[in-house]
């Protein structure tokens, strides 16, 4: 502190300022004890000399790294030094052994890399720049060398960087001694991973901080004998339990309550929760949400953090069930019961919350009500149950809530410690303490009292440590320090914790008396501490009191001190929750010894708080302390902002200024001998020039100036407070006298110099005026000559102007005539071209008509020729049927045919139930006729058998030769009769054959009609599928239009209020463009660089002749150049489509996404549409598919609509119904193989670095149109490939026909058969070739692999459907040899998929599983031995029973003659 002797006029000083804390200035006037100061910000301030501090004008420009080196160790000096270093990104500063760390709010990676850690390893403290590594190194070296545990106390308010500092400390300690990994994560990582869980259950919003820790955390980092980190433990202290039940506005309760209320809907319904406003423990304050914080997101983050630290899902559910039970418990209200001084739940709402609490805690609701409303008193004679009044029941309810929450928090800490792992054999540790700082608000209650009590204790420990360092410094320099007084705050601690007369003891005493109130408690305090210097009674309040803490005076309101201090241990609560059916809740309340459960014991939070604080201080006292004070430079959390007032308050609360006061009590100013002589040698130059020792020179200078009380050590000079300022004042006087002498000499020199300059200037002026007269004469002569020259030039100009007009007129006439001739030539060529086109179309039509007629005549001729051959064959068959032995063969054939017809009719009845109703009557008639025919055939067969048997018996029983003629005659008659019957049977058989032929013809007609209807049904199903797809696309477009309409409605007001000038001009340009058709004809450019000046600018002479074009014309010109560019095939650069990148960069550069009206999107879409309008060329389609999909991905990542968040959930789900709806959703995460880095390094980071743009309606409409074009191009490419392979599929399903005779005889394949097989393989190879060419086209155009996989998946699905349907509908295809041929073709397809790799083929081969399993069934041997289970589960798991039955009944072996599956399998089928 300064004195009047030190301050003179002209001195540079510091003075207090309300906005800047301290401001520098210069003393302009002294008035007794007051001084008038001109500050650096332009103000004039009058202040008392005792409130002024001198400023060191010779301080280093970059500040000092240790503030004990400051010439003036006071508040403004400390603040200025910190500010200077912070502006240079020097965030660390020492104050002795104390490290002050200011949060830079930005990454400074050079301060924490491995090289920096290597530099600080083993370096002496203070040798290098201040750093957190230096503090950690000192603590580690002391632990290793001395074998004593150390502690690092990291303090500061939230946002000051305590967590990051703790992280750096653990990083450096792991670097020094190595680390032991646990389950893949290091110890320091596990400690940091536990922070979200502890913050959710231990942090809350206060007046000053939105995420304030309401507990103390002491992290013990354990080391083994080799100095490696072997374990860690988290110890928590001083949890603010009273916050669970009582909060003040605008604070919040613990975060976990609000997180649970913002959980997913199923969680809220599970726990019967709702808005936080509906719960008593949360609605005591009007603050329910934090700005910029999502409780729903933090809930999920807390869940993930619990998974990381090893808390199982079952335990997590139990934890949040307990939290929900506390909320419901707080909503239980009580009213008076029927008995005196009894209480019951107030209403149905309270009973509901009581039942919910009991359900969540898994206990009996009646027992819970008794535990809250009744007490058990045990006397030697009996056990008495006493009812509680409503107030007592409320106190009991709050006590239960605080107890449950406290034990839940302790369980979480224990669980985290178990997850981290501790080393029981560790002998040394380094502890890091992170605890809440000093608090002083407008309204301070019991919580602030306990917190400030804790900080008083820590400040005493800090003061003792600082005083100890001062003693070590004085002892090292061998100076006398015995008379220095130690600044202690023991009187404040006695005021709070002394027994029996301390504030905590009086509070406990008041809580034990039921009739005590906060007013009686306040009066007791006033009477007890009325003469205490640290206790102050306010004048305008009867219940408030003020305590003068080390950081300042704090006014406390005692209104809720008694309620927040009460913390009864109720046996009824213990017994109730110990018997809970939930093991987790029962584990929180283990059974206590019998003597502790006999009666309720009084317990207070204040006493428990004091006990935990004592344990913490014992832990800190057993270690060697090191201090790091973290400072938050501003509340905006932004870099390069230094708020003086805020930082001064943090330094005061952090005890840094208290440490400065301790230093000022001794020798605050210390200077090395050479520094002192360099600065103050001017006070006694004769002593400095003498041949003396530095120590002697310093002593003589101080004695000469009459200073007393200083000390001279071994290497430094120690000055008392104020002596440095006095020496500076004497030095300023000496320098001032010297300056006056120098000024006298300089002023004499300046006066003579001014006289000489004036004389020289006079002579120069005279010469200038003489020259001016000569110049005027010369000017008149020059003007006459100029007039003559001007006349000559004017005449020449007029003549040239007339000539130029004549020349321009001639050019205009020539231009018009040439244009007329050119238009005439153009019309002639256009007419000629139209005539040629018409001739071409007519000739084409004529040739096509002739071809169709020829084809129709050929088909008619073929049909008639085949009919003639069929009739000839029919006549042969009828002649063969007349033979005697043909009867049996015709019967067998007819039976087989009837059986086959019956099976086919039954199968068609199963497969086509809708056609069965239309053909029921006809099928019934056919079955009846067949049955009657079968009956007649059976009767005929039976009659023949009987006749033959009778003839045989007659021959056997014939008499001897004597009567032979008579027998023969009788037999001949009988034979004649039989012959007649046979003839009649033949006639009936012929009739039945005719009927059978008619039935076959009718069946064939029915079969043809069925096939036609089946084809129509397939076509109808295809159309229905297409309609469903189009409906899905329309729903998706409707959803997008609704979101865009919502955006437009939100912007309607601002647009209607904006000037119409811009809109009218823009709309005019759009109308003009649409009238012209939107197509600009221009010469194509071979190459285009959008960043080149040659495209944007015209030739230099053209710029000189024409005025500068308007902005709209330039935009139109740029758009025309862009359209010309993308209309060409620009190719690819590094697997990236150049056209898409150019379009995106131009639109982004022109800010087209953010304008209300523009025509560039329509022109781009029209250009793409023109390019693919009638394209059958897959190369062109693939090129535009690659460009369109790439551009769509860029728009998906860039554009955002503000109104899209309001869409209904069902609309969002419908948008992904179609293929490309899912594709656009997959664009949000870049698919594999899609490389979207811009051309020429425009975007090195890919899609993730794209900035979001607020899109307007034209941009959103353009995105929808582009999505539609991607779908259209994709469908065109797929349909082209289907058209190409469809004719080949019809040729690939059926093998060449072989006659049954050759199959029955087992003859080898003929040459024609082998040729047909080669032709079939050629068809399959044609399909493979088409697929390969198509894949090469897509690869060449760099189509994204996921689109290629989708195309081939659909194509293979199409192949599977076509082949499998043909197999089911055509019996000739279900043969053994046909199966071998199809299997060979499928092998060709499998080989192609293997060559194409999974990147492009994907799961396409799996789409052929139906035809593959069906063909596999046809070609297996020994089918009768296969069971139904083997066929349906092992061979053909994909095929249904009906399909297997169809194939097995239609199967015929044309190669080996084997049978199909067994009859048992057919029966089950």
């Amino acid at each position: 502190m300064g004195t009047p002797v030190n301050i003179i006029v002209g001195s540079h000083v510091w003075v207090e300022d309300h906005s800047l804390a301290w401001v520098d200035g210069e003393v302009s006037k002294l008035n007794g004890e007051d001084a008038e100061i001109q500050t650096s910000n332009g103000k004039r301030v009058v202040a008392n000399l005792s409130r002024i501090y001198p400023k060191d004008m010779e301080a280093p420009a970059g500040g000092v790294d240790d503030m004990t080196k400051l010439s003036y160790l006071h508040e403004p000096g400390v603040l200025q030094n910190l500010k200077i270093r912070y502006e240079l990104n020097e965030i660390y500063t020492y104050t002795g052994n104390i490290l002050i760390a200011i949060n830079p709010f930005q990454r400074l990676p050079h301060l924490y890399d491995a090289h920096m850690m290597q530099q600080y390893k083993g370096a002496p403290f203070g040798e290098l720049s201040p750093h957190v590594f230096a503090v950690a190194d000192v603590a580690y070296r002391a632990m290793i060398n001395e074998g004593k545990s150390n502690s690092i106390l990291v303090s500061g308010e939230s946002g000051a960087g305590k967590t990051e500092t703790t992280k750096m400390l653990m990083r450096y300690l792991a670097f020094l001694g190595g680390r032991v990994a646990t389950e893949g994560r290091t110890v320091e990582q596990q400690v940091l991973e536990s922070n979200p869980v502890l913050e959710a259950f231990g942090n809350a919003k206060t007046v000053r901080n939105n995420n304030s820790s309401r507990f103390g955390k002491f992290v013990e980092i354990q080391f083994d004998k080799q100095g490696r980190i072997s374990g860690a433990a988290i110890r928590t202290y001083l949890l603010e339990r009273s916050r669970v039940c009582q909060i003040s506005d605008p604070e919040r309760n613990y975060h976990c309550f609000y997180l649970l209320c913002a959980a997913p809907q199923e969680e809220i319904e599970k726990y019967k929760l709702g808005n936080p406003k509906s719960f008593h423990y949360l609605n005591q304050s009007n603050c329910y949400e934090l700005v910029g914080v999502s409780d729903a997101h933090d809930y999920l983050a807390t869940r993930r953090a619990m998974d990381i630290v090893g808390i199982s899902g079952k335990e997590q559910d139990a934890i949040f069930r307990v939290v929900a039970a506390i909320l419901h418990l707080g909503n239980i209200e009580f009213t008076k019961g029927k008995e005196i001084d009894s209480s019951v739940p107030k209403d149905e709402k309270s009973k509901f919350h009581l039942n919910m609490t009991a359900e969540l805690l898994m206990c009996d609701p009646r027992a819970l009500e008794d535990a809250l409303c009744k007490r058990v008193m045990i006397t030697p004679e009996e056990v008495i149950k006493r009812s509680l009044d409503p107030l007592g029941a409320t106190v009991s309810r709050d006590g239960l809530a605080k107890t449950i929450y406290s034990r839940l928090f302790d369980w979480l800490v224990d669980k985290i410690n178990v997850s981290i792992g501790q080393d029981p054999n560790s002998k040394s540790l380094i502890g890091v303490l992170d605890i809440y700082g000093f608090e002083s608000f407008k309204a301070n209650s019991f919580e602030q009292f306990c917190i400030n009590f804790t900080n008083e204790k820590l400040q005493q420990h800090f003061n003792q440590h600082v005083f100890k360092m001062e003693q070590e410094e004085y002892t090292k320099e061998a100076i006398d320090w015995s008379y220095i007084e130690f600044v202690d705050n023991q009187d404040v601690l006695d005021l709070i914790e002394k027994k029996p007369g301390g504030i905590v003891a009086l509070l406990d005493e008041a809580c034990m008396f039921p009739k005590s109130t906060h007013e009686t408690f306040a009066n007791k305090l006033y009477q007890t501490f009325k003469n205490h210097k640290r206790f102050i009674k306010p004048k305008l309040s009867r219940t408030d009191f003020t305590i003068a803490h080390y950081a300042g005076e704090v006014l406390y309101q005692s209104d809720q001190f008694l309620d927040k201090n009460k913390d009864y241990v109720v046996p009824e609560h213990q017994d109730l929750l110990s018997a809970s059916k939930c093991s987790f809740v029962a584990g929180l309340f283990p059974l206590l010894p019998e003597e502790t459960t006999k009666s309720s014991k009084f317990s207070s939070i204040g006493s428990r708080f004091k006990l935990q604080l004592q344990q913490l201080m014992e832990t800190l006292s057993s270690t060697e302390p090191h201090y790091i004070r973290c400072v938050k430079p501003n509340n905006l959390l932004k870099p390069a902002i230094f708020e003086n007032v805020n930082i001064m308050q943090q330094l005061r609360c952090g005890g840094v200024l208290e440490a400065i006061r301790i230093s000022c009590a001794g020798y605050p100013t210390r200077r090395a001998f050479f520094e002192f002589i360099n600065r103050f040698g001017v006070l006694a130059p004769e002593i400095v020039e003498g041949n003396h020792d530095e120590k002697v020179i310093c002593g003589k200078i101080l004695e000469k100036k009459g200073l007393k009380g200083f000390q001279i050590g071994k290497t430094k000079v120690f000055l008392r407070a104020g002596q440095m300022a006095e020496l500076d004042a004497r030095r300023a006087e000496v320098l001032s006298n010297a300056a006056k002498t120098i000024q006298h000499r300089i002023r004499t020199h300046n006066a003579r110099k001014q006289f000489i300059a004036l004389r020289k200037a006079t002579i120069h002026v005279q010469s200038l005026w003489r020259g001016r007269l000569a110049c005027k004469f010369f000017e008149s002569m020059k003007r006459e000559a100029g007039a003559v020259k001007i006349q000559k030039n004017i005449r020449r100009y007029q003549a040239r102007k007339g000539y130029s007009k004549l020349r321009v007129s001639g050019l205009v006439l020539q231009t018009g005539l040439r244009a007329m001739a050119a238009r005439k030539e153009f019309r002639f060529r256009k007419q000629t071209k139209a005539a040629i086109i018409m001739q071409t179309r007519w000739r084409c039509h004529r040739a096509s008509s002739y071809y169709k007629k020829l084809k129709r005549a050929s088909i008619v001729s073929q049909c008639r020729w085949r009919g003639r051959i069929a009739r000839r064959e029919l006549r042969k068959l009828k002649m063969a049927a007349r033979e005697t032995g043909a009867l049996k063969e015709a019967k067998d054939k007819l039976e087989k045919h009837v059986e086959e017809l019956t099976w086919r009719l039954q199968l068609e009845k199963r497969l086509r139930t809708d056609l069965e109703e239309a053909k029921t009557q006809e099928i019934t008639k056919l079955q009846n006729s067949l049955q009657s025919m079968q009956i007649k055939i059976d009767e005929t067969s039976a009659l023949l058998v009987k006749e033959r048997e009778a003839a045989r018996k007659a021959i056997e029983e014939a008499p001897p030769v004597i009567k032979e003629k008579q027998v023969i005659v009788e037999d001949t008659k009988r034979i004649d009769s039989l012959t007649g019957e046979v003839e009649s049977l033949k006639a009936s058989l012929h009739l039945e054959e005719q009927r059978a032929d008619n039935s076959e013809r009718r069946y064939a007609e029915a079969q043809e009609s069925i096939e036609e209807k089946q084809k129509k049904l397939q076509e109808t199903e295809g159309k229905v599928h297409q309609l469903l797809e189009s409906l899905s696309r329309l729903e998706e477009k409707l959803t997008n239009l609704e979101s865009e309409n919502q955006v437009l409605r939100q912007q309607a007001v601002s647009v209607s209020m904006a000037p119409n000038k811009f809109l009218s001009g823009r709309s005019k340009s759009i109308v003009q463009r649409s009238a012209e058709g939107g197509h600009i004809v221009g010469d194509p450019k071979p190459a285009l660089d959008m960043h080149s000046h040659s495209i944007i600018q015209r030739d230099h002479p053209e710029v000189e002749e024409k005025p500068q074009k308007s902005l709209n014309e330039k935009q139109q010109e740029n758009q025309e150049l862009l359209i010309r560019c993308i209309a060409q095939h620009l190719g690819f650069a590094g697997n990236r489509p150049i056209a898409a990148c150019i379009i995106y960069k131009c639109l982004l550069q022109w800010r087209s996404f953010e304008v209300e009206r523009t025509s560039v999107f329509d022109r781009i879409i029209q250009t793409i549409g023109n390019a693919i309008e009638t394209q059958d060329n897959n190369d062109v389609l693939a090129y535009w598919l690659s460009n369109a999909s790439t551009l769509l991905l860029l728009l998906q990542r860039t554009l955002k609509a503000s109104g899209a968040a309001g869409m209904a959930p069902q609309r969002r789900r419908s948008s992904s119904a179609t293929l490309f709806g899912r594709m656009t959703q997959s664009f949000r995460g870049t698919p594999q193989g899609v490389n979207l880095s811009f051309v020429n390094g425009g975007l090195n980071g890919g899609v993730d670095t794209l900035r979001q743009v607020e899109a307007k309606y034209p941009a959103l409409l353009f995105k929808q149109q582009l999505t539609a074009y991607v779908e259209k191009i994709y469908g065109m490419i797929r349909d082209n490939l289907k058209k190409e392979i469809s004719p080949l599929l019809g040729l690939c399903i059926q093998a060449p026909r072989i006659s049954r005779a050759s199959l029955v005889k087992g003859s080898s394949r003929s040459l024609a058969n082998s040729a047909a097989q080669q032709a079939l393989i050629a068809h399959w190879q044609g399909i493979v070739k088409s697929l390969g060419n198509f894949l090469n086209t897509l690869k060449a155009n760099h189509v994204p692999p996921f689109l290629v996989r989708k195309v081939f998946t659909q194509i293979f699905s199409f192949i599977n459907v076509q082949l499998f349907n043909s197999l089911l509908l055509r019996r000739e295809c279900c043969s053994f040899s046909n199966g071998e041929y199809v299997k060979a073709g499928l092998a060709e397809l499998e080989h192609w998929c293997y060559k194409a790799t999974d990147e492009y083929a994907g799961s396409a081969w799996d789409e052929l599983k139906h035809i593959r399993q069906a063909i596999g069934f046809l070609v297996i041997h020994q089918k009768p031995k296969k069971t139904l289970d083997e066929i349906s589960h092992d061979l053909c798991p994909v095929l249904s029973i009906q399909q297997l039955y169809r194939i097995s009944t239609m199967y015929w072996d044309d190669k080996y003659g084997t049978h199909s599956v067994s009859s048992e399998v057919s029966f089950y089928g």
Side-chain angles (χ1 to χ4, degrees), residues 98 459-475 481-488 627 658-659 661-663 665-666 670:
I98 305 165
Q459 185 62 30
Q460 185 186 42
H461 184 267
F462 176 71
N463 291 345
Q464 292 173 354
H465 175 70
V466 172
F467 187 67
K468 180 181 177 181
M469 290 191 299
E470 290 287 318
Q471 290 178 351
E472 291 177 354
E473 177 72 15
Y474 297 154
T475 304
W481 52 274
S482 57
Y483 58 89
I484 299 175
E485 295 182 359
F486 170 61
V487 180
D488 195 6
Y627 293 91
E658 191 71 15
R661 293 192 188 98
I662 294 175
S663 299
R670 303 154 194 185

Side-chain angles (χ1 to χ4, degrees), residues 22-243:
W22 296 94
V23 63
D24 60 329
E26 184 178 352
V27 178
S28 59
K29 186 187 296 185
L30 290 175
N31 296 322
E33 293 296 324
D34 295 332
E36 183 177 334
I37 303 166
Q38 180 69 36
T39 61
S40 58
N41 56 7
K43 298 181 180 179
R44 283 189 176 274
V45 180
V46 178
N48 192 280
L49 291 176
S50 61
R51 304 296 299 171
I52 296 175
Y53 293 92
K55 179 181 180 182
D56 185 9
M57 299 302 295
E58 298 184 5
V64 295
D65 56 358
D66 190 345
M67 286 190 288
T68 59
K69 299 179 182 179
L70 291 173
S71 299
Y72 302 108
L73 188 59
H74 46 55
E75 288 187 9
V78 170
L79 186 64
Q80 179 66 12
N81 187 63
L82 291 176
K83 183 175 182 180
I84 292 173
R85 291 179 61 79
Y86 182 72
E87 291 173 351
L88 299 176
N89 280 337
E90 295 289 343
I91 62 174
Y92 295 115
T93 307
Y94 290 134
T95 301
N97 288 342
I98 305 165
L99 179 66
I100 300 176
I102 304 179
N103 194 340
F105 292 121
Q106 61 180 334
R107 294 290 178 185
L108 301 175
H110 66 281
L111 289 180
Y112 308 105
D113 54 10
H115 175 70
M116 188 66 68
M117 288 191 288
Q118 188 66 36
Q119 281 189 331
Y120 279 92
K121 184 176 181 180
F125 187 81
E127 180 177 317
L128 300 176
S129 299
H131 204 287
V132 66
F133 292 162
V135 178
D137 189 79
V138 169
Y140 183 80
R141 300 299 169 192
M143 180 193 69
I144 295 298
N145 298 331
E146 301 175 7
K148 183 180 179 181
S149 298
N150 284 250
S151 62
I152 302 175
L153 281 69
V154 182
S155 64
E157 65 180 57
S158 179
K162 298 194 297 290
T163 301
E164 194 67 21
T165 301
T166 304
K167 180 179 178 181
M168 293 304 163
L169 286 170
M170 288 190 287
R171 267 191 61 200
Y172 186 76
L173 292 174
F175 170 76
L176 288 177
R179 63 187 74 185
V180 179
T182 305
E183 297 182 0
R185 303 193 310 277
T186 60
V187 172
E188 64 269 20
Q189 289 175 342
Q190 296 180 71
V191 173
L192 294 175
E193 287 169 354
S194 66
N195 281 341
V197 180
L198 294 179
E199 286 183 359
F201 289 86
N203 287 24
K205 179 192 181 302
T206 60
V207 176
R208 188 176 297 168
N209 184 8
N210 289 344
N211 190 28
S212 176
S213 299
R214 311 316 295 167
F215 67 99
K217 182 171 66 175
F218 188 72
V219 181
E220 295 180 357
I221 304 174
Q222 301 165 348
F223 295 84
D224 56 13
K225 295 180 181 180
Q226 288 77 24
R228 296 186 306 171
I229 297 178
S230 58
I234 299 176
R235 315 294 181 196
T236 58
Y237 298 93
L238 316 174
L239 177 68
E240 189 181 333
R241 301 175 57 181
S242 61
R243 182 172 290 269

Side-chain angles (χ1 to χ4, degrees), residues 201 319 322-323 404-412 584 588:
F201 289 86
I319 290 170
V322 171
V323 174
I404 293 174
Y405 193 82
S406 175
R407 298 201 179 187
L408 175 63
F409 186 78
D410 294 339
W411 184 89
L412 284 172
F584 179 81
L588 296 179

Side-chain angles (χ1 to χ4, degrees), residues 331-343:
N331 278 15
I332 303 175
E333 299 180 0
F334 300 95
T335 186
K336 292 183 179 180
K338 297 180 180 180
E339 301 178 0
I340 300 175
D341 291 338
S342 65
S343 59

Side-chain angles (χ1 to χ4, degrees), residues 36 78 189 292 298 489 672 788 799 833 888 1018 1047 1272 1356:
E36 183 177 334
V78 170
Q189 289 175 342
D298 289 349
N489 61 342
V788 174
K833 184 177 181 181
K888 185 67 177 176
Q1018 291 178 355
V1047 175
K1272 180 178 180 181
F1356 274 63

Side-chain angles (χ1 to χ4, degrees), residues 909-1021:
K909 181 179 180 181
R910 293 181 183 178
L911 296 178
R912 296 289 182 272
T913 56
D914 54 342
L915 297 177
E916 182 181 1
E917 295 177 358
K919 298 299 180 180
T920 302
Q921 297 179 357
E922 185 176 357
I923 292 174
T924 303
K925 292 180 181 179
L926 291 174
Q927 289 179 348
N928 292 334
S929 62
L930 290 174
Q931 288 177 359
S932 61
M933 184 172 60
Q934 181 67 35
I935 291 172
K936 292 181 180 180
I937 292 173
D938 293 337
E939 291 176 354
T940 305
S941 300
L943 185 61
L944 283 174
V945 171
K946 289 181 181 179
E947 291 296 332
R948 288 180 180 178
E949 187 68 25
R952 184 178 62 78
K953 288 182 179 181
I955 294 171
E956 290 177 355
E957 294 176 359
V961 180
I962 299 171
K963 298 180 180 180
E964 185 176 355
K965 292 184 178 179
Q966 187 177 0
V967 172
I968 291 173
V969 172
E970 293 176 356
D971 291 340
T972 302
K973 292 179 180 180
R974 189 172 295 176
I975 288 171
D976 292 338
S977 64
L978 289 175
T979 303
E981 291 179 356
V982 167
E983 291 295 332
S984 65
L985 287 175
K986 285 183 179 181
S988 64
L989 179 62
H990 182 67
L991 293 174
E992 293 299 329
E993 285 178 351
Q994 289 180 352
R995 292 180 181 177
D997 291 338
N998 295 332
S999 299
E1000 286 182 4
R1001 185 169 60 257
R1002 292 177 183 177
Y1003 177 77
E1005 292 175 356
Q1007 186 72 16
E1008 290 177 356
S1009 63
I1010 289 172
E1011 289 179 355
E1012 290 177 357
K1013 291 181 179 178
Q1014 182 179 359
K1015 291 181 181 179
K1016 292 181 180 179
L1017 178 62
Q1018 291 178 355
E1019 293 175 355
T1020 305
E1021 290 177 351

